[in-house]
Each structure stands twice: as structure tokens, then as C-alpha cells.
């Protein structure tokens, strides 16, 4: 199973999980033409689009996506984007699309937001969590983790001293995941069989990708990757 990152920032978010026969799309923050090119125009393989919340960098193109693909999201996205074909998610209820098994759970953002636990025989189990200030869940049998690491307090405090409006900082702290929170969430999981940890949605101004990668790799004891446009990773279900 290959992961392809189209984008992972406030400019737009979209990720593809695909093999030669089927795919799911995570987030609808890029237009259809870019998505189709990334799929080599094999759009019939797409089994589902999963959208976490209504903000434009994640859901801007949800209306056009739902015209072509089965789209699954929460009630606030359906209302905000005027969707009429989307499937409304039931938190905690598992559902199957193709070979993928999916379960949604609550994320902690400033609007209704959803995380996803996704399984497939080719990759094992993947946790997808973005735009969430915290996470109180512990997940079993994880093999891959895609998790937000948006900012760190040191950089944010420095930006406030240099003119960042305190209101902006308050919103960031209340709706996005800080470096040490990401560390704590990761450490709360059983990482014995986790092969990939990919950091999502790093703030352009309030993060330090090189430091984040080195710090988390040292504290978690696992290799860390940063999601950026064009990144491709093979997500394998290794057998122990």
C-alpha cells in the first residue's frame, strides 16, 4: 500500500492510500485535476473519500469530490459544504469500503472534527489524526501513524514577542497539537509494531521541522517522517 502526500498544511491537505486495485482519499483540500493526476487518472479505484472537518484546507473541494466518489464525513461538513450525497459518519462504528476497514473517532478541534483508524491487509492498521489539540485514546495493533504536530510553545512564544497577536496564539493552542502533546500521544500507544510515524500539518511559522523530527525520533525511539507534497511511502504489513 502506497501513501502519497499531495499537501499537508494550511494551504491544503490531501493524502492518498492506494494499491494497484483500490484507493481511499484522506481530505479534500486539493482540486480534482491534481487528485486525478496523482491517481494516474484511474479514478475508478477510489473506494472512499474521508474528510475530517469543514475548514477549507481540508474540505474546500468536498462538493466536487462527492459528485464522483463515495464521501464520508461528519454532520458539520455536510451542512457547511451543502453536501447531498455524502455518508454521515457514526462515531465508533466500523464500516468497510473495498478492502479497507474504517472506524471514526472524535478529534479535539474548534469545529466538529473526526479522526480515523484504518485497516487493510496490505498495510495493517493506520491511525490518522490531524487538527486536534489532544487525544485521549489508546489504539491497539497499530502499524502506521499519521499525526499532527503543528507547533511548539517555544517558537509560538517567540512569535508573540515579535508581534503575533495573542488571539491567534490562543486559537492555535486550543485547536492544534503541540510538539510535546504529540510526543505524549505517541508514547501512550504501543509502538512495538509501528513501522512509520508521519507528522502532519506543521505550521509554516510556528514549527521547526528539523528539530521536531530529531526530538521525536530521540524520545520515541522510532524514525520520524514529515509529510510534505510529493512524499511517497510504502506502508507494509510486515510479519513478525
Amino acid at each position: 500500500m502506497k501513501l502519497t502526500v499531495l499537501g499537508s498544511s494550511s494551504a491544503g491537505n490531501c493524502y492518498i492510500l492506494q494499491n494497484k486495485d483500490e484507493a481511499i482519499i484522506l481530505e479534500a483540500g486539493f482540486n480534482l485535476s491534481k487528485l486525478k493526476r496523482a491517481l494516474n487518472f484511474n479514478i475508478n479505484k477510489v473506494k472512499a473519500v474521508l474528510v475530517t472537518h469543514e475548514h477549507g484546507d481540508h474540505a474546500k473541494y468536498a462538493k466536487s469530490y462527492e459528485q464522483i466518489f463515495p464521501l464520508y464525513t461528519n454532520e458539520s461538513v455536510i451542512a457547511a459544504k451543502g453536501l447531498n450525497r455524502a455518508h454521515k459518519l457514526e462515531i465508533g462504528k466500523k464500516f468497510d469500503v473495498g478492502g479497507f476497514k474504517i472506524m471514526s473517532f472524535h478529534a479535539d478541534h474548534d469545529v466538529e472534527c473526526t479522526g480515523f483508524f484504518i485497516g487493510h491487509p496490505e498495510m495493517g492498521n493506520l491511525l490518522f489524526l490531524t487538527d486536534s489539540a489532544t487525544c485521549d485514546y489508546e489504539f491497539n495493533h497499530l502499524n502506521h501513524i499519521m499525526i499532527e504536530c503543528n507547533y511548539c510553545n517555544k517558537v509560538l512564544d517567540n512569535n508573540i514577542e515579535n508581534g503575533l497577536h495573542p488571539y491567534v496564539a490562543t486559537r492555535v493552542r486550543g485547536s492544534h497539537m503541540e510538539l510535546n502533546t504529540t510526543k505524549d500521544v505517541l508514547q501512550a500507544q504501543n509502538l512495538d509494531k509501528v513501522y512509520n510515524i508521519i507528522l502532519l500539518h506543521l505550521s509554516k511559522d510556528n514549527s521547526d521541522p528539523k528539530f521536531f523530527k530529531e526530538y521525536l525520533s530521540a524520545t520515541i525511539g522510532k524514525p520520524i517522517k514529515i509529510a510534505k507534497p510529493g512524499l511517497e511511502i510504502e506502508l507494509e504489513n510486515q510479519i513478525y
Side-chain angles (χ1 to χ4, degrees):
M1 185 70 61
K2 182 172 70 174
L3 165 67
T4 301
V5 177
L6 297 189
S8 186
S9 72
S10 59
N13 296 269
C14 190
Y15 314 86
I16 303 170
L17 293 172
Q18 64 177 317
N19 60 20
K20 64 183 180 64
D21 298 315
E22 54 187 1
I24 60 173
I25 312 302
L26 301 167
E27 309 289 42
F30 281 85
N31 63 40
L32 274 170
S33 61
K34 185 162 187 175
L35 177 65
K36 289 176 180 179
R37 289 195 299 272
L39 290 165
N40 291 320
F41 297 94
N42 185 6
I43 62 173
N44 291 329
K45 73 192 296 188
V46 176
K47 304 303 180 184
V49 176
L50 309 179
V51 178
T52 59
H53 66 287
E54 66 189 68
H55 289 156
D57 54 328
H58 298 261
K60 181 177 181 179
Y61 297 98
K63 185 72 173 178
S64 58
Y65 278 34
E66 77 157 356
Q67 304 302 313
I68 300 175
F69 311 121
L71 190 146
Y72 297 78
T73 191
N74 57 50
E75 187 172 14
S76 69
V77 176
I78 293 172
K81 302 303 178 185
L83 306 183
N84 50 38
R85 297 184 181 182
H87 301 269
K88 179 183 172 183
L89 291 167
E90 295 184 43
I91 295 298
K93 184 176 180 179
K94 297 179 181 179
F95 61 98
D96 297 350
V97 288
F100 296 93
K101 297 182 181 297
I102 302 166
M103 184 183 73
S104 61
F105 59 92
H106 284 296
D108 181 21
H109 200 38
D110 56 358
V111 296
E112 184 182 9
C113 191
T114 310
F116 297 102
F117 184 85
I118 304 166
H120 190 282
E122 286 190 17
M123 72 173 185
N125 295 318
L126 179 146
L127 171 64
F128 181 81
L129 179 61
T130 188
D131 287 59
S132 186
T134 61
C135 178
D136 297 325
Y137 301 103
E138 295 181 17
F139 297 89
N140 295 320
H141 312 299
L142 282 174
N143 305 115
H144 315 281
I145 299 175
M146 299 173 67
I147 186 169
E148 177 174 271
C149 191
N150 183 259
Y151 73 101
C152 74
N153 283 319
K154 183 177 180 180
V155 176
L156 190 60
D157 289 341
N158 183 68
N159 287 339
I160 293 172
E161 291 179 6
N162 286 282
L164 179 68
H165 197 288
Y167 172 81
V168 176
T170 298
R171 182 190 176 274
V172 169
R173 288 192 168 107
S175 60
H176 288 282
M177 195 170 292
E178 199 267 341
L179 171 64
N180 283 293
T181 305
T182 302
K183 172 182 69 80
D184 292 343
V185 172
L186 290 171
Q187 289 181 328
Q189 314 305 319
N190 183 340
L191 302 178
D192 289 350
K193 295 186 178 181
V194 170
Y195 321 127
N196 293 288
I197 298 175
I198 302 116
L199 304 184
L200 309 179
H201 210 295
L202 275 68
S203 168
K204 177 183 176 183
D205 299 317
N206 302 311
S207 70
D208 183 337
K210 183 175 184 292
F211 173 69
F212 283 16
K213 184 175 180 179
E214 292 174 351
Y215 173 73
L216 288 175
S217 181
T219 55
I220 301 301
K222 293 279 185 176
I224 302 292
K225 301 178 179 68
I226 306 289
K228 55 186 178 180
L231 177 68
E232 294 187 340
I233 302 172
E234 291 294 333
L235 304 181
E236 298 179 355
N237 185 8
Q238 299 180 23
I239 299 175
Y240 283 76

